[in-house]
Amino acid sequence: QVQLAESGGGLVQAGESRRLSCAASGRIVGVSGMGWYRQAPGNVRELVGSLRMNGAAMYGDFVKGRFNISRDKVKNIVYLQMDRLKPEDTAIYYCTFNLLGRDFWGQGIQVTVSA
């Protein structure tokens, strides 16, 4: 069984920064990738950023250099550093780990950016 726990969300003002963390626990074997998605009310879930085990990262077009995804390989934690936040970044953010071809998801954490 694998559990993912996100933390670091909350209310932030536009232009500020916030770092999200996602800690994986349980039987963590065969990690091939991890990432963050988000979903705003009325919108589909979209990719924020993903990270492969070879270090290759990719981001959603809206990121435009504002966010950075990183990981602590030993602790099985994935981070999302978000800078220059905008009100349109308001959403529930979900982390995901891919283990042996299967995707596991966290419960999601709210990030609200006020104007």
Side-chain angles (χ1 to χ4, degrees):
Q1 190 75 340
V2 174
Q3 294 85 38
L4 304 182
E6 298 109 337
S7 61
L11 178 63
V12 62
Q13 291 189 337
E16 295 184 342
S17 299
R18 183 65 66 126
R19 188 177 80 159
L20 302 182
S21 301
C22 174
S25 61
R27 193 168 186 269
I28 310 301
V29 295
V31 180
S32 60
M34 54 195 68
W36 290 91
Y37 286 72
R38 72 182 189 182
Q39 187 167 17
N43 291 358
V44 299
R45 190 172 296 189
E46 60 182 351
L47 173 70
V48 179
S50 65
L51 185 64
R52 307 299 296 175
M53 290 301 97
N54 62 5
M58 62 183 298
Y59 297 92
D61 290 341
F62 60 86
V63 171
K64 299 187 186 302
R66 299 181 297 127
F67 298 175
N68 184 68
I69 187 171
S70 61
R71 67 183 174 108
D72 183 322
K73 182 179 179 181
V74 174
K75 297 181 180 179
N76 289 314
I77 298 174
V78 61
Y79 302 99
L80 181 67
Q81 176 66 40
M82 303 184 292
D83 299 323
R84 303 192 303 279
L85 282 161
K86 305 175 182 179
E88 51 263 44
D89 293 318
T90 295
I92 297 175
Y93 285 71
Y94 299 88
C95 70
T96 181
F97 273 63
N98 185 280
L99 307 176
L100 298 175
R102 179 181 173 185
D103 290 328
F104 292 85
W105 293 85
Q107 292 296 308
I109 191 164
Q110 178 72 43
V111 175
T112 302
V113 184
S114 62

